[in-house]
């Protein structure tokens, strides 16, 4: 068995060619891969890891039925456990459902194009139990108008604050989900603390971490789809169908608020898919015009760029005072 963290040179090229033959693409975010080879040193099975996500698992058709999937999966899971990751996720093709369920994975949600699985039978139900425990009793009844925002807040800006304030004028309670994605400029914990400090004076805001169950529009896995435009939309639908089918009904959410997106094509695609899909589930999508400063929409990416260049005076009119202090203390 070959291992790589990640592979390089000719071994990486061999892996890419094998995946291509299996209608998969090598994902550049991969941190660790394992491959099984035959006597001619040709790859016959492979699997990879990025953070706590298993991906690019493939078995040569001529070798299927030999238990190679279980061997690959065991090696990857051992690697994850050695790195302190006990909650393991997988995005794959729906046709693989039975195979991976036999290997100990459980379906979170399945769409026509994507299957989202985890290694814990009750992982998602425990997540929802926590979310409901964070929700005041008066926001759980049948009559209040309940809204939601899902945001990265990387970092928390006055644009995010404006979106929240506008949403609160249109609903009784607002669930604010801060993405727990680790692949961001600021850590999940830092982002959550900035949001918490920046909204402490706002009543009727219910703050949540998303754990592993809501994914950033910028980090959707697309390695198992040939058409990338279709892949991005399919993965947007996966995230939104999970929200619409398994999160919104349990919390009584009937409105989802989002800011207009003039700059990022990925997020704009996500917003368009949201407006297309969520009304089918009785959830109104409310798009709010982005707050501007000096004639430009306030953008977390502009804040990050200024911080990287040490231009802290340039961000004062784009972030709340609490975020400004937080960033200054950690520069």
């Amino acid at each position: 068995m070959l291992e790589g963290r990640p592979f390089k040179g000719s071994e990486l090229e061999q892996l890419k060619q094998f995946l291509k033959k299996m209608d998969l693409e090598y994902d550049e975010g991969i941190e660790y891969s394992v491959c099984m080879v035959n006597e001619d040193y040709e790859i016959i099975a492979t699997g990879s890891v990025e953070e706590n996500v298993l991906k690019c698992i493939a078995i040569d058709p001529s070798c299927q039925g030999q238990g190679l999937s279980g061997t690959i999966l065991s090696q990857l899971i051992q690697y994850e456990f050695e790195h302190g990751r006990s909650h393991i996720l997988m995005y794959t093709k729906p046709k693989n459902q039975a195979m991976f369920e036999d290997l100990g994975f459980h379906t979170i949600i399945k769409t026509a194009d994507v299957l989202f699985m985890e290694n814990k039978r009750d992982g998602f139900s425990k997540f929802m139990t926590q979310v409901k425990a964070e929700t005041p009793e008066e926001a759980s009844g049948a009559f209040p108008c309940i809204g939601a925002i899902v945001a990265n807040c990387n970092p928390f800006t006055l644009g995010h604050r404006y979106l929240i304030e506008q949403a609160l004028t249109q609903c009784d309670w607002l669930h604010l989900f801060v993405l727990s994605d680790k692949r961001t400029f600021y850590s999940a914990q830092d982002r959550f603390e900035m949001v918490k400090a920046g909204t402490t004076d706002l009543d009727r805001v219910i703050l949540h971490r998303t754990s592993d169950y809501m994914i950033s529009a910028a980090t959707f896995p697309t390695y198992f789809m040939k058409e990338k435009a279709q892949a991005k939309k399919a993965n947007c639908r996966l995230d939104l169908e999970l929200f619409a089918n398994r999160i919104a009904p349990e919390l009584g959410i009937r409105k989802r608020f989002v800011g207009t997106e003039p700059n990022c094509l990925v997020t704009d695609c996500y917003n368009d898919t949201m407006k297309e899909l969520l009304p089918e589930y009785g959830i109104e999508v409310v798009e709010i015009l982005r707050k501007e400063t000096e004639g430009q929409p306030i953008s977390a990416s502009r804040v990050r760029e200024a911080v990287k260049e040490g231009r802290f005076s340039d961000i004062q009119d784009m972030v709340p005072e609490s975020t400004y202090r937080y960033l200054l203390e950690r520069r």
Side-chain angles (χ1 to χ4, degrees):
M1 183 176 290
L2 301 176
E3 296 182 67
R5 297 182 175 82
F7 285 144
K8 297 179 180 179
S10 61
E11 289 183 337
L12 175 58
E13 187 58 33
Q14 185 184 7
L15 174 56
K16 286 182 176 181
Q17 289 302 315
F18 175 73
L19 290 173
K20 185 177 181 180
K21 185 176 74 172
M22 303 297 294
D23 288 332
L24 300 176
E25 283 191 7
Y26 182 83
D27 195 313
E28 296 301 328
I30 284 171
E31 67 181 73
Y32 171 76
S33 297
V34 294
C35 296
M36 300 183 71
V37 298
N38 60 18
E39 60 273 12
D40 296 320
Y41 211 69
E42 297 170 334
I43 296 175
I44 57 173
T46 186
S48 297
V49 161
E50 180 182 1
E51 293 286 343
N52 66 326
V53 179
L54 307 188
K55 53 180 55 178
C56 296
I57 298 171
I59 312 298
D60 190 287
S62 66
C63 300
Q64 291 177 2
Q66 300 178 20
L68 301 186
S69 296
T71 302
I72 291 290
L73 219 58
S74 295
Q75 187 75 12
L76 297 178
I77 290 171
Q78 180 180 335
Y79 172 86
E80 295 282 48
F81 283 177
E82 288 172 353
H83 287 75
R85 303 164 184 164
S86 60
H87 188 210
I88 302 171
L89 307 175
M90 182 189 304
Y91 301 90
T92 187
K93 298 177 181 179
K95 69 178 184 179
N96 295 329
Q97 183 174 8
M99 176 180 72
F100 286 120
E101 285 181 346
D102 288 344
L103 292 170
F105 276 75
H106 307 278
T107 296
I108 299 169
I109 193 165
K110 179 174 68 172
T111 68
D113 301 294
V114 187
L115 175 65
F116 184 23
M117 309 185 81
E118 63 180 335
N119 67 327
K120 294 186 176 181
R121 183 183 299 276
D122 58 353
F124 185 81
S125 62
K126 284 185 175 179
F127 165 69
M128 286 308 303
T129 297
Q130 176 62 35
V131 167
K132 287 188 281 189
E134 295 163 350
T135 302
E137 186 176 345
E138 55 267 39
S140 304
F143 298 106
C145 175
I146 309 297
I149 292 173
V150 181
N152 211 8
C153 301
N154 186 34
F156 184 66
T157 69
L158 287 172
H160 296 117
R161 167 87 184 197
Y162 178 77
L163 176 62
I164 295 165
E165 290 172 338
Q166 293 302 303
L168 284 171
T169 67
Q170 301 183 50
C171 63
D172 298 316
W173 290 89
L174 181 69
H175 290 277
L176 176 54
F177 294 92
V178 182
L179 292 169
S180 299
D181 187 4
K182 300 179 181 67
R183 294 161 292 186
T184 52
F185 188 74
Y186 294 103
S187 71
Q189 182 61 30
D190 280 343
R191 290 185 287 106
F192 186 83
E193 292 300 330
M194 280 187 273
V195 176
K196 184 177 179 181
T199 59
T200 188
D201 61 316
L202 296 177
D203 295 330
R204 301 180 287 118
V205 174
I206 310 164
L207 198 56
H208 308 288
R209 293 175 172 86
T210 64
S211 185
D212 293 312
Y213 297 107
M214 295 182 185
I215 51 181
S216 166
T219 57
F220 289 124
T222 59
Y223 59 89
F224 52 85
M225 294 183 176
K226 290 181 179 179
E227 297 295 331
K228 293 307 165 191
Q230 173 199 352
K232 286 185 173 62
K233 187 163 185 176
N235 284 284
C236 291
R237 290 188 69 90
L238 174 78
D239 189 53
L240 291 166
E241 287 196 25
L242 178 62
F243 176 82
N245 277 298
R246 303 201 61 185
I247 296 173
E250 293 202 44
L251 299 174
I253 293 170
R254 288 292 175 265
K255 290 187 178 184
R256 181 151 166 183
F257 298 90
V258 63
T260 53
E261 182 46 69
N263 300 317
C264 178
L265 292 177
V266 174
T267 304
D268 188 49
C269 172
Y270 184 86
N271 288 356
D272 285 345
T273 307
M274 187 187 307
K275 288 181 280 188
E276 173 187 319
L277 186 145
L278 292 189
E280 296 176 7
Y281 294 87
I283 301 170
E284 179 186 359
V285 177
V286 181
E287 195 168 31
I288 294 173
L289 191 65
R290 290 268 290 271
K291 184 177 177 66
E292 294 186 348
T293 177
E294 298 181 356
Q296 292 187 64
I298 293 177
S299 162
S301 61
R302 286 174 58 201
V303 175
R304 293 195 301 273
E305 183 179 343
V307 168
K308 289 176 186 176
E309 297 174 0
R311 296 184 286 106
F312 278 84
S313 60
D314 290 355
I315 71 171
Q316 282 187 286
D317 61 348
M318 292 192 285
V319 299
E321 179 63 26
S322 56
T323 296
Y324 184 70
R325 292 196 304 269
Y326 200 93
L327 298 181
L328 275 180
E329 291 170 1
R330 285 156 179 78
R331 62 178 171 176

